[in-house]
Amino acid sequence: MRKAVLLVLGLITSLSSVAQQSFSIQEAVNYGITHHTDVKNALVKRQDTEMEIKEIKATGLPKINGSFQYTYNAIVPTQLIDAQNFDPTAPEGEVVKFKFGVPWSGQTGIGVNQLIYDATWLVGLRAADTYRRLADQEISQSKQTIAENVIKAYYSVLVAEERAEILKLNISRIDSLERNTAEMFKQGFVEKIDLDRLSVQKNNLKTELTKVENLTSLSYQLLKFQMGYNVMEPIVLKDNLKEQENKAIMQVAYTEVNPEERIEYQLLKTNRDLIELNVERYQKSALPNVYFSGSLGAGHSNTTFNPFQRWFGSSALTIGLNIPIYDSGLRKIQVERQRLNLIQIDNTAEMLKNTFALQNDQATISLTNGLENLEVQKRNMSLAEEIVRVSKIKYEEGVGSNIEVVNAENDLRQSQTNYFAALYDVLVAKVDLDKAHGKLISE
């Protein structure tokens, strides 16, 4: 019996651990880049790229085909031949009828074709590694995007949860003040309006708490969606807001952006390599290609149906050469179009470099300004807390007004809202700065 109880408890514990998975920011990112649909699709595309490479290789490998046919010539074709071919004494213009063929015929054989040399095919083989690199970079780009979305969603949850905790403390403080005020009202030291003001204040805080709790729930759903996690399953967050704030403070120093570290720039360079290979492929299509073909077979002819007699073998070996002579200028047009694509890519590369520098400047300035604003909001929140404390003491000692306490609570709530908004801006600016430097994830 005891063993059964222990087994049940063990199962409950294991199920609970499965249902309540916990994630740090890095673990959430790792989960997202493994389970998100975009990454899965990018991995499938990577497999398709390998299939495409094999398809290109297969076009230059031997092709073997077999054939068999058996025919009944219901009406054997008749030809007319000048009778003088057989009888010189035949009158001029006399013809003789001949049936060319027999009612039953057949053909069977096997053939092989092998490409010996084709410059465009060789270029395609050389492009295989470039295609692989492009597919890998597209996977990396998907991971970068998912990491950005997961981190921002994670921060949103942390901020919303912290706001909810602060609001609960505010409500607890108002509850305490309301109880004290109710006692003072019973003793006739305060008016009922003072008690009503505190009730209104508490109701407002409860309403705001409900909104924040709903926002927290929605933020959790968004985080799970960005992670590719089952939105019906609960999760727990390991990291706290203070740690993330400290990490953001450590990343204020300005550094130049290296375009080579941005996945967008890497993708552009790879696409440029592919276009250059395309130029080479079109240019080399002017070269001859050499091929070999061989066949081995047998033909059958018979006046009666008997497919097992009168088969006569045949065989042929061929080396062929296809020589492009004139293509109406098509090749030149194709090459020129690829060169225009190269110009566009080079222009885009320069624009990307400027864009990266601008993103870096914006993120750095946003982070610097955000940290300054965050420090101001911290001081404001501390001052507002002190004002609430002092106004409450004054009110309880009879030297302050109830309105002063309510106003102080309102100011504190506003300062808290401003603080969390500033903190979220700082965290987002940190993510944008990491993105600008291509350091959202390390691979």
Side-chain angles (χ1 to χ4, degrees):
M1 181 65 182
R2 184 172 176 272
K3 289 183 179 180
V5 172
L6 290 175
L7 179 60
V8 171
L9 290 175
L11 287 173
I12 293 173
T13 303
S14 63
L15 288 173
S16 176
S17 63
V18 170
Q20 292 281 344
Q21 288 197 58
S22 58
F23 296 91
S24 65
I25 289 183
Q26 188 57 54
E27 289 169 344
V29 169
N30 292 340
Y31 188 95
I33 62 180
T34 303
H35 294 84
H36 198 280
T37 302
D38 289 348
V39 174
K40 291 180 179 179
N41 286 340
L43 290 171
V44 171
K45 187 175 180 181
R46 176 66 170 80
Q47 294 176 335
D48 182 64
T49 298
E50 287 296 329
M51 293 297 104
E52 185 177 1
I53 292 170
K54 289 181 179 180
E55 185 178 343
I56 293 172
K57 289 180 179 179
T59 59
L61 299 179
K63 308 291 186 301
I64 301 175
N65 296 295
S67 64
F68 174 81
Q69 64 180 25
Y70 198 79
T71 305
Y72 171 61
N73 300 302
I75 300 177
V76 177
T78 300
Q79 295 284 342
L80 296 178
I81 297 179
D82 192 341
Q84 290 183 349
N85 289 328
F86 304 97
D87 184 4
T89 63
E92 184 72 26
E94 185 177 348
V95 294
V96 178
K97 295 180 182 179
F98 273 94
K99 287 189 175 183
F100 281 84
V102 292
W104 299 95
S105 64
Q107 191 72 37
T108 186
I110 187 169
V112 59
N113 291 279
Q114 170 63 57
L115 184 67
I116 297 176
Y117 175 79
D118 187 338
T120 60
W121 180 68
L122 295 176
V123 173
L125 291 181
R126 284 174 36 223
D129 288 338
T130 308
Y131 276 117
R132 288 191 183 98
R133 186 166 75 249
L134 181 66
D136 289 338
Q137 288 170 347
E138 288 176 345
I139 293 172
S140 180
Q141 186 179 41
S142 296
K143 290 181 178 180
Q144 297 262 5
T145 301
I146 290 163
E148 178 186 2
N149 294 337
V150 168
I151 294 171
K152 288 182 177 180
Y154 198 105
Y155 287 154
S156 179
V157 174
L158 291 182
V159 170
E161 285 189 325
E162 190 66 20
R163 281 189 64 191
E165 291 302 316
I166 293 294
L167 284 171
K168 289 175 183 178
L169 290 175
N170 291 346
I171 293 172
S172 177
R173 187 171 57 250
I174 290 293
D175 274 336
S176 176
L177 181 60
E178 188 180 35
R179 286 193 297 271
N180 293 339
T181 303
E183 289 299 323
M184 295 169 67
F185 172 71
K186 290 178 182 179
Q187 297 172 13
F189 293 113
V190 297
E191 299 179 358
K192 186 175 185 301
I193 193 172
D194 293 336
L195 195 59
D196 291 341
R197 286 195 188 101
L198 291 175
S199 296
V200 170
Q201 180 74 3
K202 184 173 71 171
N203 291 336
N204 288 338
L205 286 173
K206 286 183 176 180
T207 300
E208 186 170 353
L209 176 60
T210 300
K211 291 180 180 179
V212 171
E213 287 176 339
N214 291 337
L215 175 63
T216 303
S217 177
L218 181 60
S219 298
Y220 265 109
Q221 295 298 90
L222 176 61
L223 173 60
K224 288 185 280 189
F225 173 79
Q226 299 292 5
M227 291 170 58
Y229 191 85
N230 186 349
V231 295
M232 302 303 294
E233 296 292 335
I235 61 173
V236 177
L237 307 190
K238 292 181 180 179
D239 290 336
N240 61 65
L241 208 52
K242 188 64 180 177
E243 290 175 351
Q244 301 310 311
E245 181 183 347
N246 293 336
K247 289 180 181 178
I249 294 172
M250 296 169 58
Q251 297 195 16
V252 185
Y254 180 84
T255 54
E256 296 287 343
V257 172
N258 180 6
E260 298 289 343
E261 293 181 349
R262 290 292 297 267
I263 188 62
E264 298 91 339
Y265 192 77
Q266 295 168 17
L267 277 166
L268 196 68
K269 287 183 63 179
T270 303
N271 277 304
R272 195 185 196 285
D273 293 341
L274 287 174
I275 292 176
E276 288 180 338
L277 288 167
N278 248 347
V279 170
E280 184 180 354
R281 181 170 65 87
Y282 286 132
Q283 289 173 336
K284 289 188 174 180
S285 66
L287 299 176
N289 62 70
V290 183
Y291 66 90
F292 165 81
S293 65
S295 64
L296 176 65
H300 167 75
S301 296
N302 206 342
T303 56
T304 60
F305 176 75
N306 189 345
F308 304 103
Q309 291 182 344
R310 296 184 178 178
W311 286 90
F312 308 98
S314 64
S315 179
L317 300 176
T318 304
I319 289 183
L321 182 68
N322 290 321
I323 305 174
I325 296 176
Y326 180 65
D327 66 353
S328 302
L330 176 63
R331 188 182 308 109
K332 182 179 179 182
I333 294 171
Q334 290 171 330
V335 169
E336 188 58 31
R337 288 191 65 192
Q338 297 304 310
R339 294 195 191 281
L340 293 175
N341 287 337
L342 287 175
I343 293 173
Q344 289 181 338
I345 282 191
D346 290 340
N347 291 338
T348 303
E350 288 302 313
M351 184 191 70
L352 275 181
K353 290 178 182 178
N354 292 330
T355 301
F356 297 157
L358 179 60
Q359 289 175 347
N360 184 41
D361 291 342
Q362 288 176 330
T364 303
I365 292 172
S366 295
L367 184 56
T368 302
N369 292 343
L371 289 171
E372 292 177 358
N373 183 39
L374 182 62
E375 190 60 33
V376 171
Q377 298 306 328
K378 276 184 182 179
R379 291 198 298 268
N380 287 345
M381 191 166 63
S382 296
L383 288 173
E385 288 172 350
E386 180 62 17
I387 291 172
V388 167
R389 188 185 70 81
V390 172
S391 63
K392 181 180 176 182
I393 293 173
K394 288 173 61 180
Y395 176 67
E396 290 175 346
E397 292 181 352
V399 294
S401 68
N402 175 265
I403 294 178
E404 184 179 357
V405 174
V406 172
N407 288 339
E409 287 285 350
N410 286 332
D411 291 341
L412 175 59
R413 184 176 61 179
Q414 186 59 50
S415 68
Q416 290 168 343
T417 300
N418 293 340
Y419 166 75
F420 286 115
L423 179 56
Y424 183 73
D425 289 342
V426 165
L427 296 174
V428 168
K430 170 186 173 294
V431 176
D432 291 339
L433 186 60
D434 287 340
K435 178 183 177 182
H437 287 271
K439 295 180 179 178
L440 277 175
I441 59 174
S442 56
E443 294 185 294

